């Protein structure tokens, strides 16, 4: 039997591909044109329902694409929570813009692995150029070297590994175990920092004991005096402070840590300063929001996610550093089979992190940045901030709602204050019930968090297709939900 025959089931010949691709692009165009809005934003499937409708073993013979399409629509689609739905306001806004989808499509077709410059010179060079564009757009120093990873979690992990390398304790060679001379290492972040920072600590061998959650001030920013105290206490106990992670745009309230003051502390104490601007970094493309990166020019490393608020399909995280040589020292390891005639003369991006294989992510980002232009990006971000401020204004006017944090960007945290319900568990439960009512609508999807007074609801705006009308519907659903809950 000839296994190499092209008419074996499986791959498509180019004419069939053309037809199928047109069908798929038509589906996507309809989805963007309004199809997404017709679907429940939050999937209604029960746990196990999707898996239960799929066969436990793979098909022995290839199936017609018709059948795959049918099952996509019947089984997979109902289990999709639509992050591209205009009513998606739950987590940081993520819209896969149309240009971003096109860039992804092309990247999948080329299927290059940009591990080395030579394995795809354009993947490396486009990445460096696009990251340079973004560096300028955010007002970061020209001396920052930038590259892409998949997520902010991984960017921060890599950055803290570089911090460990910079400490000069030769973890690269000797590891950390069985070294009594090595003091426990400590990383500091505010108690509002993203969980990925603590996860990086447990991955890198600092343990959760090596992670300090520093208290926040009245506006959910890191308390610098409390940080200094913790550093002093750790040194007194024989621990070794290693790095401070500042957050620009915290996950719950989008508060901005005082980065310049944290940079002072890091410089005085000899610590690595990593800035996690995963969500809010994009806002700095607008001159009126550029303040949020004050002091970031003094960071050792800095991350923001184009896949959060720069209309790029997940995944794309931009990691910058003033110390690319430290990243190389931490990670470069070149076996014979990965050497090329230009090794050492070019940038091989595999040298800056854990992974070898690298997707051609810069292509979709390039497509997005060129298609929107800086003005287009700014206009969308400004629109989102304006909608958030208007929503916050409405919250402030309601006697039975209470805003729980400032609104520097496009997220509003608030809670219901029904008459006669005191602070405490019952009030928290009321918020969660209200949340479930709004989310059950299928029109709007919100999330929640815990802030100082208790449970808060979050309205996070960041979708390209969210309109003031969607915010109006959100307000109606909240009001209706409260009326129902109050009349029980
Ligand atoms: C401040 C902050 N940092 C990091 C992350 C993690 O991002 P990623 O999903 O890209 O790892 C988030 C996610 O929302 C975040 O809000």
């Amino acid at each position: 039997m000839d296994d190499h025959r092209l008419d074996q089931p499986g791959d498509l010949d180019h004419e069939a591909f053309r037809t199928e691709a047109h069908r798929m692009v038509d589906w996507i165009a309809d989805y963007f044109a309004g199809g997404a809005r017709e679907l429940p934003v939050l999937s209604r499937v029960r746990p196990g329902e999707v898996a239960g409708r799929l066969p436990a073993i793979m098909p022995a013979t290839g199936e017609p694409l018709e059948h795959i399409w049918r099952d996509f629509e019947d089984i997979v689609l109902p289990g999709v929570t639509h992050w591209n739905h205009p009513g998606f306001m739950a987590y940081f806004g993520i819209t896969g813009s149309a240009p971003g989808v096109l860039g992804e499509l092309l990247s999948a077709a080329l299927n290059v692995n940009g591990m080395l410059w030579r394995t795809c010179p354009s993947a490396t060079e486009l990445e460096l150029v696009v990251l340079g564009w973004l560096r300028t757009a955010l007002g970061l120093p020209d001396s920052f070297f930038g590259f892409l990873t998949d997520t902010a979690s991984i960017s921060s992990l890599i950055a803290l590994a570089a911090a460990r390398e910079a400490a000069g304790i030769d973890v690269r060679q000797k590891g950390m175990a069985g070294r009594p001379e090595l003091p426990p290492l400590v990383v500091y972040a505010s108690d509002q920092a993203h969980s990925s920072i603590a996860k990086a600590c447990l991955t890198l061998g600092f343990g959760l004991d090596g992670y300090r959650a520093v208290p926040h001030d009245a506006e959910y920013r890191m308390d610098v005096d409390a940080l200094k105290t913790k550093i002093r206490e750790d040194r007194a106990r024989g621990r070794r402070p290693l790095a401070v992670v500042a957050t620009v745009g915290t996950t719950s309230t989008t508060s901005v840590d005082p980065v310049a003051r944290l940079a002072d502390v890091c410089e005085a104490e000899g610590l690595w300063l990593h800035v996690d601007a995963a969500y809010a970094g994009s806002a700095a493309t607008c001159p009126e929001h550029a303040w949020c990166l004050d002091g970031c020019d003094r960071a050792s490393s800095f991350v923001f996610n184009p896949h959060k608020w720069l209309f790029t399909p997940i995944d794309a995280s931009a990691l910058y550093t003033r110390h690319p040589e430290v990243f190389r020292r931490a990670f470069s390891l070149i076996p014979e089979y990965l050497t090329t005639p230009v090794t050492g003369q070019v940038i091989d991006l595999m040298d800056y992190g854990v992974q070898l294989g690298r997707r051609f992510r810069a292509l979709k980002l390039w497509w997005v940045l060129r298609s929107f232009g800086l003005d287009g990006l700014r206009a969308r971000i400004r629109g989102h901030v304006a909608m958030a401020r208007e929503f916050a204004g409405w919250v402030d006017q309601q006697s039975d709602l209470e805003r729980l944090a400032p609104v520097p960007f496009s997220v509003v945290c608030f809670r219901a204050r029904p008459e006669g319900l005191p602070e405490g568990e019952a009030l928290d439960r009321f918020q969660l019930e209200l949340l479930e009512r709004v989310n059950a609508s299928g029109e709007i999807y919100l999330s929640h968090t815990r802030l100082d007074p208790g449970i808060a609801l979050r309205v996070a705006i960041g979708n390209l297709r969210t309109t003031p009308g969607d915010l109006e519907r959100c307000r109606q659903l909240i009001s209706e939900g409260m009326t129902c809950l109050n009349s029980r």
Side-chain angles (χ1 to χ4, degrees):
M1 194 172 117
D2 180 5
D3 281 331
H4 303 290
R5 281 175 40 193
L6 283 175
D7 58 357
Q8 292 291 323
D11 204 10
L12 305 175
D13 70 39
H14 57 270
E15 279 312 324
F17 177 77
R18 196 184 306 280
T19 307
E20 288 301 329
H22 278 282
R23 168 154 66 160
M24 190 168 281
V25 169
D26 282 344
W27 188 96
I28 295 169
D30 290 344
Y31 181 74
F32 282 162
R37 191 185 277 285
E38 302 307 312
L39 298 166
V41 52
L42 176 61
S43 169
R44 291 175 170 153
V45 298
R46 291 179 309 279
E49 191 176 328
V50 174
R53 294 188 61 198
L54 295 168
I57 49 170
M58 67 176 283
T61 55
E63 298 182 71
L65 293 187
E66 221 45 69
H67 294 184
I68 308 177
W69 262 115
R70 184 199 58 208
D71 290 348
F72 168 72
E73 295 199 310
D74 292 353
I75 303 173
V76 177
L77 206 50
V80 172
T81 290
H82 293 280
W83 291 63
N84 269 344
H85 189 295
F88 185 97
M89 302 177 194
Y91 302 101
F92 281 140
I94 296 191
T95 327
S97 62
V101 172
L102 296 175
E104 276 285 31
L105 183 63
L106 208 48
S107 154
L110 297 175
N111 193 33
V112 303
N113 181 338
M115 57 193 189
L116 300 168
W117 176 86
R118 186 161 138 123
T119 58
C120 184
S122 282
T124 299
E125 296 192 12
L126 197 61
E127 184 162 327
L128 297 177
V129 168
V130 166
L131 273 274
W133 289 1
L134 288 174
R135 178 180 57 219
T136 307
L138 266 61
L140 296 170
D142 289 348
S143 56
F144 274 26
F145 173 83
F147 57 98
L148 290 170
T149 76
D150 53 359
T151 57
S153 303
I154 296 300
S155 292
S156 293
L157 173 73
I158 295 172
L160 290 174
R164 191 178 63 177
E165 176 61 29
I169 46 178
D170 202 12
V171 172
R172 177 186 169 107
Q173 184 61 36
K174 297 181 181 155
M176 292 179 70
R179 295 181 64 188
E181 82 287 5
L182 199 64
L185 304 175
V186 188
V187 171
Y188 305 82
S190 100
D191 57 7
Q192 301 297 299
H194 190 261
S195 52
S196 54
I197 307 304
K199 271 198 184 182
C201 290
L202 57 89
T203 308
L204 290 168
F206 312 148
L208 289 178
D209 283 351
Y211 176 73
R212 292 281 168 282
V214 180
H216 57 265
D217 68 11
E219 294 195 354
Y220 297 98
R221 302 168 297 205
M222 197 194 297
D223 177 336
V224 182
D225 290 332
L227 169 69
K228 289 182 189 165
T229 305
K230 282 194 185 289
I231 292 174
R232 213 171 29 245
E233 286 170 359
D234 279 323
R235 287 205 196 280
R237 289 199 192 110
R239 295 176 174 269
R240 171 147 181 199
L242 180 76
V244 173
V245 178
T247 311
V248 171
T250 54
T251 311
S252 288
T253 66
T254 74
S255 60
V256 176
D257 284 342
V259 181
R261 292 182 60 209
L262 298 177
D264 291 341
V265 174
C266 288
E267 283 161 14
E269 298 278 351
L271 309 182
W272 184 282
L273 175 61
H274 175 62
V275 177
D276 176 359
Y279 152 76
S282 299
T285 53
C286 302
E288 69 274 27
H289 300 305
W291 63 268
C292 74
L293 298 190
D294 283 352
C296 289
D297 54 327
R298 295 160 67 193
S300 307
S301 51
F302 172 96
V303 59
F304 91 102
N305 277 1
H307 80 223
K308 286 209 191 302
W309 204 10
L310 221 56
F311 318 118
T312 305
I314 191 166
D315 51 15
S317 176
L319 176 58
Y320 291 91
T321 179
R322 276 198 289 153
H323 306 294
E325 73 293 349
V326 178
F327 281 68
R328 272 199 314 275
R329 249 177 21 229
F331 290 112
S332 181
L333 198 116
I334 312 173
E336 180 58 31
Y337 49 82
L338 291 175
T339 61
T340 71
V342 288
T343 296
Q345 298 161 42
V346 293
I347 288 175
D348 289 325
L349 285 169
M350 69 162 186
D351 287 338
Y352 294 84
V354 182
Q355 67 181 96
L356 172 65
R358 308 186 84 256
R359 302 179 60 222
F360 196 172
R361 292 192 184 90
L363 198 56
K364 65 182 170 190
L365 197 46
W366 187 59
W367 228 266
V368 170
L369 299 184
R370 292 192 61 184
S371 178
F372 280 75
L374 192 50
D375 287 346
L377 296 171
R378 286 173 172 159
R380 273 26 175 252
I381 288 169
R382 286 178 175 138
H384 293 159
V385 173
M387 281 190 275
R389 293 202 172 142
E390 200 191 328
F391 187 88
W394 173 76
V395 168
D396 291 346
Q397 283 162 13
Q398 310 308 305
S399 56
D400 52 0
L401 294 178
E402 178 185 14
R403 188 149 61 80
L404 295 182
V407 181
F409 305 109
S410 67
V411 173
V412 184
C413 292
F414 64 100
R415 67 174 173 174
R417 287 311 304 267
E419 227 183 285
L421 202 53
E423 292 283 358
E425 246 177 64
L427 188 58
D428 283 349
R429 217 171 25 251
F430 189 94
Q431 314 307 323
L432 295 175
E433 285 170 355
L434 178 59
L435 180 68
E436 285 317 299
R437 271 182 188 268
V438 171
N439 289 346
S441 70
E443 295 173 70
I444 300 289
Y445 177 25
L446 306 182
S447 66
H448 76 285
T449 188
R450 181 172 287 283
L451 298 178
D452 291 340
I455 295 287
L457 306 190
R458 284 172 82 256
V459 166
I461 301 164
N463 191 291
L464 280 172
R465 282 169 280 277
T466 298
T467 65
D470 294 307
L471 270 306
E472 174 56 30
R473 185 64 188 135
C474 181
R475 292 195 280 266
Q476 280 170 4
L477 287 167
I478 291 166
S479 301
E480 286 166 20
M482 287 184 62
T483 308
C484 281
L485 288 172
N486 282 329
S487 64
R488 286 178 307 183

